[in-house]
């Protein structure tokens, strides 16, 4: 299989106040080659820890990981030039200018000096190149971090919660950047605790809770697999419509004057009701989203308390 | 601002993936970062200021007018001592000199290796020398080494702080993790930082010594005494000995930079490093070293070895107790012992720092 990233039984525990705390507990996941892959999980579920292990910043207790078929961290020097990453938040020297920060990184990988200008240009930071990093807005910091990853012209980009703290315009920018990188054939691994964000940009997704995998696959499959699609039906006489539809074998629930009917084919509802002289005034598919899928998954795992913290569709700029 | 940062068209123009850089290249990058740091400028200014002040003090000290004044004082003191000594009977003088020589012999027998300490017993009743009154012609080498002698600790400390903050700042800013996603080979990365800090320290030392030489030259040029002043020529320090000692100062200051980076890599925090160093200097080097085992532990501490290395062997004071009570004796510590000590301590420190950096998580 063509995978960009694979982990098998990856495990990391931290010693905190004398007791071992499992940050990542045997995570097995794979990220397909090309496109945007969401890495979704509530705060504290081990996303950042996993990313740090992939980058060789922290050592796994056990398990294996590979990037582009190379075992990491052992073979990391062989693939690092193909990987650009922003872990947690952009981190540069505050008193250095944007250009200085990039020049150092370019020097570390033997990138030509002209490349610094190119990536500043590409991230709309050319005019701010001589400004100190400390004076940058969060959005500019994020762009500079993206510029740094581009110094390498990477095939895999790892963004760890890239929209945290950004305003709606900044979120849109980052999202579009990820989409565009994915469209260029690069693999983008983006972690988030915000469902709406992943849902909007990702082609595929891995969902984790408490450091292990809950679900993985196409965003569409996972949404579909979470239960039957529902349609919200409005009719003049809901009681009668309920009888008719139940008789026709539909599963439904009553929601005030509306009916929530489970079906994959909304036209079947129209047909059934019309056959009894009932005409549909309103027919709205209720799209199951990643949030309900996530809630279903985490409920199974007894992770309800964690899922409470998920910022579902309430992310700033999340709806579109 | 319009959304997309990167459309496929605006993608990178330079298609060649970077090929990585050599170790020397990596050191070069680190040196560039060191030079860009604010701390480098602070250290630079501090070195210039220190040498400037010291040179000015030397200038004041060796001004012909100041010399003339001191010569006057000196003449009256000499007259006074001669008068006093004349009143002491000759046999009492002889007895005191003899007692002094016994002490000298006892110390000489006690110390192994090293030159026996000269107590200068014979000169006990001589009037003070003009040199001890600072009545010497301004001499370049002498002024240089007096500036550098006190500067050694200042330069070394500055280099240490420079090296320590150079590494610790990366952990503070979190950029160490970012750096490692560009060059993940930890030992290579760690070594390049240590080398850069060491070179930075050498530069600090070189600057300090260079400026001291320059300052001393200026002072001696300006303060060349007129022929009317009866000024003794300064004791001549052989040129190559002086140069060697200056080079060793530079080397120690370089070690200071390296040592700072080593501790920075181990502690990962500038505040922690400064706390450790101040604690170490105050508590250990100044107190523990001389307070325990009658001061005989001093050869195992940094200060003694640094002095021994720079001054081609040194002495330290220990308490020696015999039947006739305790007395302070001066003990030699050789150059060889000093450089071996420094080499071993440095190697251990560097190894520990690199191993720790390789093994520890970077978050
Ligand atoms: N350096 C650390 N020391 C101790 N515990 C940590 C450390 N880093 C993370 N953890 C713990 O590991 C768990 C996973 O954290 P993290 O990977 O940051 O989660 P996420 O990125 O998904 O929010 C959390 O419970 C967190 O408290
Ligand atoms: Mg995180």
């Amino acid at each position: 299989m063509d995978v960009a990233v694979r982990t098998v039984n990856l495990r990391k525990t931290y010693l905190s106040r004398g007791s071992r705390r499992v940050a990542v507990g045997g995570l097995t996941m794979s990220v397909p080659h090309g496109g945007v892959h969401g890495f979704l999980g509530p705060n504290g579920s081990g996303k950042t820890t996993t990313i740090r292990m992939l980058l060789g910043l922290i050592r796994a207790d056990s398990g294996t990981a590979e990037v582009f078929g190379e075992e990491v961290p052992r073979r990391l020097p062989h693939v690092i030039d193909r990987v650009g990453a922003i872990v947690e938040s952009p981190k540069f020297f505050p008193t250095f200018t944007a250009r200085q920060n990039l020049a150092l990184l370019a020097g570390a990988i033997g990138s030509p000096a002209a490349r610094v200008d190119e990536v500043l240009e590409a991230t709309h930071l050319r005019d701010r190149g001589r400004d100190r990093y400390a004076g940058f807005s969060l959005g500019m910091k994020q762009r500079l971090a993206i510029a740094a990853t581009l110094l390498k012209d990477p095939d895999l980009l790892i963004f760890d919660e890239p929209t945290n703290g950004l305003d709606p315009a900044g979120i849109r920018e980052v999202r579009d950047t990820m989409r565009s990188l994915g469209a260029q054939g690069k693999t983008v691994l983006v972690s988030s605790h915000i469902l709406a964000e992943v849902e909007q940009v990702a082609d595929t997704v891995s969902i984790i809770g408490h450091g292990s995998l809950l679900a993985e696959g196409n965003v569409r499959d996972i949404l579909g697999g979470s239960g039957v699609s529902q349609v919200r039906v409005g009719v003049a006489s809901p009681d009668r419509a309920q009888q008719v539809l139940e008789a026709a074998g539909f599963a439904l629930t009553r929601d005030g004057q509306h009916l929530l009917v489970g079906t994959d084919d909304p036209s079947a509802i129209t047909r059934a009701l019309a056959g009894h002289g009932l005409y549909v005034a309103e027919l709205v598919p209720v799209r199951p989203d990643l949030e309900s899928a996530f809630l279903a998954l985490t409920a199974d795992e007894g992770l309800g308390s964690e899922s409470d913290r998920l910022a579902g569709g309430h992310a700033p700029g999340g709806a579109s | 601002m319009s959304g997309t940062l990167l459309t496929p068209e605006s993608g990178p123009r330079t298609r060649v993936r970077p090929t990585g850089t050599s170790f020397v290249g990596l050191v070069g990058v680190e040196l560039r970062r060191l030079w860009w740091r604010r701390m480098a400028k602070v250290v630079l200014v501090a070195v210039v200021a220190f040498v400037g002040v010291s040179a000015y003090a030397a200038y004041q000290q060796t001004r012909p007018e100041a010399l003339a004044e001191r010569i006057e004082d000196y003449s009256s003191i000499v007259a006074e001592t001669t008068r006093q000594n004349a009143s002491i009977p000759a046999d009492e003088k002889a007895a005191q000199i003899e007692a002094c020589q016994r002490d000298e012999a006892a110390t000489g027998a006690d110390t192994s290796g090293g030159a026996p300490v000269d107590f200068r017993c014979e000169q006990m009743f001589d009037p003070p020398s003009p040199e001890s009154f600072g009545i010497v012609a301004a001499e370049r080498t002498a002024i240089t080494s007096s500036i550098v002698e006190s500067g050694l600790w200042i330069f070394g400390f500055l280099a240490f702080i420079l090296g320590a903050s150079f590494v610790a700042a990366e952990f503070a800013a979190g950029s160490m993790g970012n750096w490692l996603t560009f060059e993940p080979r930890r030992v290579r990365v760690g070594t390049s930082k240590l080398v850069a800090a060491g070179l930075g320290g050498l530069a600090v030392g070189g600057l300090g010594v260079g400026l001291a030489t320059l300052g001393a030259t200026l002072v001696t040029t300006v303060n060349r005494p007129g022929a009317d002043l009866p000024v003794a020529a300064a004791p001549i320090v052989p040129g190559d000995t002086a140069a060697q000692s200056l080079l060793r100062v530079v080397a120690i200051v370089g070690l200071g930079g390296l040592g700072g980076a080593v501790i920075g890599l181990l502690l990962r925090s500038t505040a922690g490093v400064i706390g450790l160093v101040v604690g170490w200097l105050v508590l250990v080097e100044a107190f523990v070293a001389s307070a325990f085992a009658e001061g005989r532990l001093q050869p195992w501490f940094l200060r003694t070895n640094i002095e021994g290395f720079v001054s081609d062997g040194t002495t330290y004071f220990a308490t020696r107790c015999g039947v006739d009570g305790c007395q302070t004796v001066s003990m030699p510590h050789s150059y060889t012992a000093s450089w071996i000590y420094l080499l071993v301590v440095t190697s251990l420190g560097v190894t520990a720092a690199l191993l720790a950096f390789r093994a520890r998580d970077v978050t």
Side-chain angles (χ1 to χ4, degrees):
Chain A
M1 191 169 77
D2 201 12
V3 255
V5 176
R6 191 205 306 277
T7 73
V8 178
N9 281 326
L10 205 57
R11 188 180 166 82
K12 175 74 183 183
T13 55
Y14 286 111
L15 204 58
S16 90
R17 275 183 254 107
S19 65
R20 291 233 156 252
R21 167 190 204 113
V22 179
V24 175
L27 178 66
T28 299
M29 71 168 200
S30 43
V31 177
H33 213 297
V36 180
H37 185 88
F39 185 25
L40 185 65
N43 284 325
S45 56
K47 303 181 296 293
T48 301
T49 304
T50 303
I51 289 172
R52 287 208 172 103
M53 285 190 280
L54 289 175
L55 295 168
L57 296 177
I58 64 181
R59 199 176 286 248
D61 297 344
S62 61
T64 58
E66 60 184 58
V67 174
F68 294 127
E70 302 277 8
E71 187 192 329
V72 293
R74 199 171 58 81
R75 303 265 307 163
L76 198 57
H78 299 266
V79 285
I80 199 73
D81 284 345
R82 299 177 64 191
V83 183
I86 306 170
V87 184
E88 278 194 328
S89 55
K91 279 155 189 156
F92 295 97
F93 294 104
T95 58
F96 289 178
T97 66
R99 185 177 291 276
Q100 281 177 318
N101 272 301
L102 290 182
L104 292 173
L105 292 169
I109 53 172
S111 206
R115 191 85 185 107
V116 170
D117 292 307
E118 285 178 22
V119 299
L120 280 173
E121 179 92 37
T123 50
H124 307 314
L125 283 172
R126 204 173 57 114
D127 298 339
R128 308 302 300 265
R130 301 201 178 279
D131 293 353
R132 280 179 185 218
Y133 174 73
F136 276 20
S137 70
L138 189 59
M140 285 158 63
K141 288 179 177 175
Q142 198 67 259
R143 291 214 298 271
L144 184 65
I146 293 176
T149 64
L150 296 178
L151 286 171
K152 299 200 253 189
D153 189 14
D155 296 323
L156 168 67
L157 289 119
I158 301 178
F159 297 130
D160 186 16
E161 313 237 10
T163 56
N164 264 8
L166 292 184
D167 59 15
I171 290 176
R172 162 99 55 85
E173 239 174 54
V174 169
R175 193 185 290 151
D176 289 347
T177 303
M178 291 191 292
R179 278 206 196 99
S180 139
L181 288 165
Q184 288 174 46
K186 297 181 185 297
T187 307
V188 178
L189 174 61
V190 53
S191 84
S192 180
H193 66 285
I194 300 167
L195 294 154
E197 186 172 295
V198 167
E199 202 173 1
Q200 282 180 58
V201 293
D203 310 306
T204 51
V205 66
S206 299
I207 301 179
I208 68 167
H210 277 336
S212 55
L213 190 75
L214 300 178
E216 189 170 77
N218 280 323
V219 171
R220 211 168 296 125
D221 294 346
I222 291 197
L223 295 186
S226 71
V228 215
S229 302
Q230 288 187 319
V231 178
R232 191 179 169 86
V233 182
V235 286
S237 46
D239 295 332
R240 199 140 135 64
Q242 185 170 353
Q243 285 169 12
V244 168
L245 290 176
E246 272 170 355
F250 288 97
L252 60 80
T253 51
R254 185 72 183 265
D255 179 19
Q257 290 302 299
H258 289 90
L259 301 171
L260 286 174
V261 186
T263 181
D264 286 334
D265 179 17
S267 64
I269 299 171
T270 324
R271 275 197 305 277
L273 291 177
H276 291 82
L278 292 162
Y279 295 98
V280 174
E282 189 186 343
L283 190 71
V284 186
V286 181
R287 201 172 60 94
D289 56 9
L290 210 41
E291 179 160 27
S292 32
F294 191 90
L295 287 173
L297 286 164
T298 50
D300 292 348
E301 300 284 321
L303 301 175
S305 63
E306 256 185 354
S307 55
D308 291 346
R309 278 185 264 141
L310 273 167
H314 308 298
S320 66
Chain B
M1 175 168 296
S2 77
T4 319
L5 296 180
L6 299 148
T7 59
E9 303 81 66
S10 76
R13 269 163 276 164
T14 317
R15 269 288 155 197
V16 265
R17 182 162 285 126
T19 49
T21 189
S22 65
F23 178 72
V24 174
L26 207 54
V27 172
V29 175
E30 293 289 0
L31 280 176
R32 205 149 33 125
R33 180 167 75 83
L34 182 65
W35 174 240
W36 283 344
R37 286 177 59 75
R38 239 185 330 209
M39 184 61 87
K41 280 91 180 179
V42 171
V43 166
L44 215 81
V45 170
V47 169
V48 171
F50 173 81
V51 176
V53 168
S54 305
Y56 182 73
Y59 161 77
Q60 288 288 8
Q61 184 83 5
T62 56
R63 263 168 54 225
E65 303 84 65
L67 274 179
E69 226 166 81
R70 257 174 280 146
I71 287 168
E72 210 163 283
D73 291 350
Y74 174 69
S75 317
S76 60
I77 294 272
V78 168
E80 176 72 4
T81 6
T82 317
R83 202 174 50 77
Q84 273 180 7
N85 285 349
S87 64
I88 303 173
D91 52 345
E92 193 176 314
K93 282 186 190 171
Q96 282 191 31
I97 290 176
E98 210 172 297
C100 170
Q101 280 165 335
R102 266 202 310 279
D103 283 350
E104 186 183 50
T107 313
D110 191 59
T111 53
S112 44
V117 186
D118 186 359
F119 279 25
R120 298 184 196 281
C121 297
E122 294 75 10
Q123 287 110 318
M124 230 168 149
F125 295 99
D126 292 351
S129 66
E131 289 83 9
S132 67
F133 263 68
I135 303 175
V136 283
E139 202 274 322
R140 195 171 56 88
T141 333
I143 293 178
T144 309
S145 48
S146 96
I147 295 177
V148 167
E149 209 170 285
S150 50
L152 164 69
W153 301 101
I154 307 278
F155 304 153
F157 183 71
L158 289 171
F160 184 91
I161 297 298
L162 183 68
S165 66
F166 174 64
V167 174
E170 290 194 271
F171 289 103
S175 49
M176 186 67 91
N178 197 24
W179 191 249
L180 290 173
T181 66
F182 280 73
E183 175 50 275
R185 286 169 287 187
R186 297 263 185 113
V187 173
R188 190 180 166 95
V189 167
T191 311
S192 71
K193 292 179 191 299
L194 295 183
V195 170
L199 291 175
L202 287 180
V204 171
L207 178 76
V209 167
L211 286 177
T213 311
L214 182 73
T217 310
L218 284 177
V219 168
T220 46
T221 311
V222 174
N223 281 349
R224 187 166 292 133
D228 52 325
L229 278 180
V231 172
I236 297 299
V237 186
D240 51 348
T241 308
Q244 194 178 49
S245 145
L246 293 185
L247 282 181
R248 286 182 193 168
V249 168
V250 175
I252 286 291
V253 179
L255 270 192
L258 174 64
V262 162
I263 309 281
L265 216 44
L266 287 169
L267 293 193
R268 300 182 166 196
S269 129
T270 306
V273 173
I274 292 175
L276 179 89
V277 167
V278 170
W280 177 266
L281 289 180
V282 169
L283 210 72
V284 182
E285 293 284 341
F287 176 69
V288 176
S290 44
F292 289 92
E294 285 102 34
R296 275 162 212 282
L297 294 178
Q298 284 173 92
W300 298 103
F301 288 88
L302 273 175
R303 195 181 133 183
T304 316
N305 287 286
I306 290 175
E307 282 174 356
F309 177 75
V310 171
S311 320
D312 212 13
T314 185
T315 56
Y316 60 93
F317 293 100
T319 314
R320 192 169 58 89
C321 293
V323 280
D324 49 351
C326 294
Q327 57 197 140
T328 301
V329 291
S330 138
M331 312 278 281
H333 186 66
S334 74
Y335 168 71
T336 313
S338 301
W339 73 252
I340 291 177
Y341 173 93
L342 291 175
L343 187 70
V344 169
V345 167
T346 307
S347 314
L348 289 179
V350 166
T351 310
L354 290 178
L355 287 181
F357 183 55
R358 191 178 64 169
R360 284 176 65 188
D361 289 350
V362 174
T363 53

